Amino acid sequence: MIRFGVIGAGNIARKFCEAANGVEANLYAVASRNIEKAKDYQKTYGFEKAYGSYASMFADPLVDCVYIATPHGLHYEHMMLALDYNKHILCEKAFTLNEKQAKAVLDKAHEKGCFVMEALWTRFIPTMREVQSLVNEGIIGDITKVEANFCFKASKEDDNRLFAPHLGGGALLDIGIYPLTFANLFLGSPKKIESKVDFYHTGVDLSSEIKFIYNHATAHLISSFDYTLPIDGFIYGTKGYIHMPMFLESKQALIYDETNNLIKEIKQDHMVNGMEYEILEVIKCITDGKLESPIMPHSETLSIMNQMDEIRKQWNLVYPQEK
Ligand SMILES: NC(=O)c1ccc[n+]([C@@H]2O[C@H](COP(=O)([O-])OP(=O)(O)OC[C@H]3O[C@@H](n4cnc5c(N)ncnc54)[C@H](OP(=O)(O)O)[C@@H]3O)[C@@H](O)[C@H]2O)c1
């Protein structure tokens, strides 16, 4: 059984642990910079081992796969360190700060023969996978347009990681990656990108509107830490359209024909909280000896990092680690 080691005892790690326990994955070790926090996680989620530093957990030979749940400005250094210890990796989104870092990690993983996957949980959810199949089979004809938003009002306290440049703050890498992923799932990578941004005083993006231009389609993608919009995804085609309310969670899809009649509804609750599907995929891939998942291939991680690089270039947004 694959033994997981978790680093970064924060918000999303809690959801990961709940999901892992819900599908009886092996939560073997947890590491925090603060041993008391690690021990608290150990007690709550039933880990066998608790460590007070990430490196000491990586040095444990019984850890097979590390789940990295630190802020994305630190993913590069944490993945590189985990690979020094030959660990398989599941790393939270955004995978790294930029494509260059992502490529360096993936090259090293390849050399070491380690499995690596970006934890873009939405891709693995059964309803999202079913919608992809139906679209590929032509249920709404040829895609002409995609729309997706992920916006919420974030707390503007100075220590919020969401606005910290050195931690990879900004809406694009944190939440904008979901609308971008939605467009990529149904239209692939764009021919051209146009964008509009508002900055926060720390220098990272607060809100943006992005237009992806394809040969015969466009995608309109909004992300913001400044205002709230429904977190909806729409896929429009020549024969109808699909509405995915709260597309991140992908629990529901409503499929309409060209006369606006509802022709199909898919509704499926998660087994736990939605993160279990990516966990099961990691276990399956590692057990089968794969180095990457066909659902979240390395090429997709690199392509989306490349698109975010291009968007940040348009905004002159450079992270301190890139200077
Ligand atoms: N998949 C999803 O739905 C989802 C949702 C939210 C976030 N995320 C991603 O998950 C990652 C973590 O997000 P989060 O919301 O869980 O963040 P968080 O609550 O702030 O937790 C991050 C953890 O990283 C560790 N850390 C190490 N160095 C740090 C530093 N210099 N500053 C702050 N924290 C540091 C800390 O753990 P220790 O103190 O234990 O070392 C901290 O608790 C991000 O990359 C984010 O994009 C994914």
Side-chain angles (χ1 to χ4, degrees):
M1 202 170 182
I2 305 301
R3 287 169 295 239
F4 283 95
V6 172
I7 71 161
N11 290 324
I12 199 60
R14 287 197 181 278
K15 279 190 75 181
F16 174 88
C17 294
E18 284 162 19
N21 279 335
V23 292
E24 293 179 358
N26 186 344
L27 287 180
Y28 167 71
V30 59
S32 166
R33 296 165 303 168
N34 172 344
I35 185 66
E36 292 312 317
K37 245 171 102 186
K39 283 186 176 160
D40 177 55
Y41 257 65
Q42 181 183 28
K43 209 166 127 207
T44 309
Y45 301 107
F47 286 92
E48 216 170 293
K49 293 273 177 70
Y51 289 100
S53 81
Y54 301 158
S56 56
M57 190 193 82
F58 293 159
D60 182 337
L62 291 184
V63 172
D64 298 308
C65 180
V66 177
Y67 169 62
I68 296 184
T70 54
H72 28 275
L74 305 170
H75 289 173
Y76 172 76
E77 73 180 76
H78 292 150
M79 283 194 276
M80 289 307 234
L81 187 61
L83 288 170
D84 283 341
Y85 292 88
N86 300 308
K87 301 301 181 194
H88 301 300
I89 295 174
L90 171 66
C91 180
E92 264 309 331
K93 42 51 68 176
F95 189 67
T96 47
L97 287 180
N98 53 44
E99 187 189 14
K100 190 174 161 206
Q101 287 187 342
K103 191 161 181 332
V105 169
L106 296 174
D107 285 349
K108 183 164 172 173
H110 201 254
E111 268 166 39
K112 295 263 185 179
C114 293
F115 171 86
V116 178
M117 191 179 94
E118 184 178 3
L120 207 303
W121 64 301
T122 307
R123 284 180 181 258
F124 303 87
I125 296 171
T127 297
M128 180 59 85
R129 311 258 306 132
E130 192 176 344
V131 169
Q132 279 180 269
S133 297
L134 290 169
V135 167
N136 290 338
E137 287 160 16
I139 194 163
I140 55 166
D142 297 328
I143 310 289
T144 54
K145 189 172 169 181
V146 163
E147 286 173 358
N149 307 320
F150 188 178
C151 304
F152 67 89
K153 228 174 162 57
S155 149
K156 297 216 174 87
E157 282 166 22
D158 279 350
D159 61 350
N160 190 343
R161 75 162 179 84
L162 300 180
F163 298 112
H166 69 288
L167 297 178
L172 177 66
L173 265 64
D174 206 274
I175 55 176
I177 192 169
Y178 287 100
L180 262 67
T181 294
F182 195 73
N184 275 267
L185 281 172
F186 298 103
L187 285 167
S189 60
K191 269 191 80 177
K192 195 175 163 212
I193 302 176
E194 293 173 358
S195 64
K196 206 172 117 217
V197 65
D198 288 320
F199 290 106
Y200 192 58
H201 71 80
T202 57
V204 301
D205 55 308
L206 182 61
S207 307
S208 70
E209 291 186 33
I210 294 164
K211 185 176 179 186
F212 277 4
I213 300 164
Y214 300 84
N215 280 340
H216 303 289
T218 53
H220 294 259
L221 313 166
I222 304 178
S223 60
S224 178
F225 285 147
D226 201 30
Y227 53 83
T228 303
L229 287 180
I231 303 176
D232 282 4
F234 288 90
I235 314 148
Y236 301 93
T238 48
K239 292 189 195 159
Y241 68 95
I242 302 176
H243 175 200
M244 296 187 74
M246 193 64 181
F247 76 95
L248 310 183
E249 291 186 357
S250 293
K251 286 185 185 170
Q252 190 187 15
L254 301 152
I255 306 177
Y256 296 85
D257 67 13
E258 67 265 66
T259 55
N260 234 352
N261 287 315
L262 182 66
I263 52 169
K264 188 175 173 73
E265 177 177 5
I266 307 166
K267 220 173 173 181
Q268 192 181 341
D269 277 340
H270 299 149
M271 289 188 284
V272 191
N273 59 22
M275 291 182 77
E276 59 275 18
Y277 306 106
E278 67 184 9
I279 296 171
L280 293 171
E281 174 68 4
V282 171
I283 294 170
K284 184 171 180 300
C285 288
I286 297 176
T287 307
D288 292 349
K290 290 187 179 151
L291 297 187
E292 65 183 301
S293 157
I295 303 175
M296 177 78 256
H298 295 167
S299 56
E300 272 290 284
T301 289
L302 289 169
S303 173
I304 292 182
M305 288 311 315
N306 175 279
Q307 292 160 35
M308 295 198 293
D309 283 357
E310 163 62 24
I311 293 163
R312 286 196 299 117
K313 198 167 144 203
Q314 294 181 7
W315 302 343
N316 289 319
L317 199 176
V318 180
Y319 288 110
Q321 294 92 323
E322 300 176 307
K323 284 179 183 158

